[in-house]
Amino acid sequence: MEKGDVFVISAPSGSGKTTICRMLVQRLDNMELSISYTTRPRKRREEDGKDYHFIDPKKFDMMICSRELLEFASVYGNRYGTSREAVRSIVSRGRDAVLEIDVQGGKKVKEELPEAVLVAVFPPDWRSLEERLIGRGRDTPDEVRDRLRVAGEEARELLSYDYLVVNDELEAAVTRVEWIVRATRLRRERAAARVKKIFDGNGEGKRWRE
Ligand code: 5GP
């Protein structure tokens, strides 16, 4: 079976990337979010196994030792990692995997899987980032300050990604990411097998399916 692709979506926190990722998997067939593992405590309204797999530091260390993590990073003092098996399972079923991870993780994924597509999302301006972070009411004032400082550093690193999307308007931003996914699905490496089938058996082959 044709394998799916890996899409990494990174952004300074408060840029709206979680919403973009959720809308993307709702809109496009054959896309699945990879659920990360984290040592950070579960926040209000978060569900274990849906938002993250919440695990203790000891289990996290064990996952590193047994090479179960495709990548892992420390963000704001907590550890986060992507399960190698979760991603493998998604792409081997011909579906695309969406990894909503930070820039350190994105770079590691690219080293391991050079064909992965890295998409960076940016806020339209600094002020809106601040407003979104405060508005979602999830973080303490100290955490907000910390996130803003990290956001500036992250934004510079994200300039090395394959695609840069500015979230000036949610609908438009999701559509831009959708174009990236659709264009990737038409890349030669992925589409060639389907095109060849059209000509197999003197034109009696399968119809094109996107
Ligand atoms: P939050 O605590 O706000 O949910 O996430 C904090 C940061 O960690 C975000 O930038 C998020 O994208 C990143 N993150 C979430 N899961 C992973 C992961 O599996 N690996 C890496 N490297 N970063 C992650």
Side-chain angles (χ1 to χ4, degrees), residues 9 11 13 17 36-37 40 46 52 71-73 75-76 80-82 100-102 104-106 136 138 147 154:
I9 310 220
S13 55
K17 76 172 177 300
S36 294
Y37 285 77
R40 100 152 150 65
E46 282 183 333
Y52 284 105
E71 63 74 36
F72 58 90
V75 190
Y76 312 112
Y80 298 82
T82 304
E100 187 199 328
I101 63 178
D102 87 319
Q104 311 167 65
R136 67 184 183 178
R138 219 188 65 175
R147 277 168 193 260
E154 266 191 319

Side-chain angles (χ1 to χ4, degrees), residues 108-158:
K108 278 189 223 149
V109 169
K110 192 75 172 181
E111 275 168 32
E112 288 239 5
L113 308 170
E115 69 282 12
V117 179
L118 305 192
V119 181
V121 177
F122 296 89
D125 53 62
W126 200 254
R127 182 87 201 111
S128 62
L129 188 70
E130 224 173 326
E131 280 167 5
R132 275 190 213 163
L133 280 176
I134 296 167
R136 67 184 183 178
R138 219 188 65 175
D139 306 298
T140 64
D142 273 353
E143 281 174 331
V144 169
R145 214 167 305 126
D146 202 30
R147 277 168 193 260
L148 280 172
R149 182 184 55 75
V150 175
E153 292 162 15
E154 266 191 319
R156 268 183 290 279
E157 299 254 3
L158 286 171

Side-chain angles (χ1 to χ4, degrees), residues 4-203:
D5 282 301
V6 172
F7 292 89
V8 169
I9 310 220
S10 303
S13 55
S15 306
K17 76 172 177 300
T18 305
T19 315
I20 291 178
C21 289
R22 300 250 143 109
M23 287 172 74
L24 195 68
V25 297
Q26 274 169 12
R27 280 196 200 179
L28 288 171
D29 285 341
N30 292 325
M31 293 218 92
E32 241 176 81
L33 281 172
S34 141
I35 313 290
S36 294
Y37 285 77
T38 184
T39 61
R40 100 152 150 65
R42 193 168 60 82
K43 302 216 176 194
R44 229 168 6 108
R45 281 183 258 147
E46 282 183 333
E47 248 181 74
D48 189 25
K50 185 163 170 278
D51 298 284
Y52 284 105
H53 297 287
F54 295 96
I55 57 170
D56 59 38
K58 214 167 134 207
K59 171 93 201 298
F60 200 93
D61 283 338
M62 277 165 53
M63 291 186 82
I64 295 174
C65 284
S66 53
R67 292 189 38 83
E68 282 173 68
L69 298 178
L70 172 65
E71 63 74 36
F72 58 90
S74 277
V75 190
Y76 312 112
N78 293 305
R79 291 193 289 166
Y80 298 82
T82 304
S83 154
R84 201 182 287 279
E85 178 50 31
V87 174
R88 198 203 56 79
S89 147
I90 296 172
V91 300
S92 67
R93 281 182 279 122
R95 296 166 70 81
D96 292 326
V98 182
L99 276 54
E100 187 199 328
I101 63 178
D102 87 319
V103 63
Q104 311 167 65
K107 287 181 173 178
K108 278 189 223 149
V109 169
K110 192 75 172 181
E111 275 168 32
E112 288 239 5
L113 308 170
E115 69 282 12
V117 179
L118 305 192
V119 181
V121 177
F122 296 89
D125 53 62
W126 200 254
R127 182 87 201 111
S128 62
L129 188 70
E130 224 173 326
E131 280 167 5
R132 275 190 213 163
L133 280 176
I134 296 167
R136 67 184 183 178
R138 219 188 65 175
D139 306 298
T140 64
D142 273 353
E143 281 174 331
V144 169
R145 214 167 305 126
D146 202 30
R147 277 168 193 260
L148 280 172
R149 182 184 55 75
V150 175
E153 292 162 15
E154 266 191 319
R156 268 183 290 279
E157 299 254 3
L158 286 171
L159 291 173
S160 66
Y161 268 36
D162 298 316
Y163 294 95
L164 311 181
V165 170
V166 174
N167 184 10
D168 47 357
E169 202 263 307
L170 184 62
E171 180 57 36
V174 177
T175 303
R176 287 174 196 132
V177 181
E178 211 181 311
W179 288 340
I180 296 166
V181 173
R182 289 193 188 281
T184 303
R185 289 177 173 178
L186 296 174
R187 273 201 320 216
R188 183 192 46 206
E189 310 88 73
R190 182 146 168 190
R194 266 172 290 161
V195 172
K196 278 197 198 119
K197 277 188 197 147
I198 297 171
F199 301 103
D200 280 353
N202 301 323

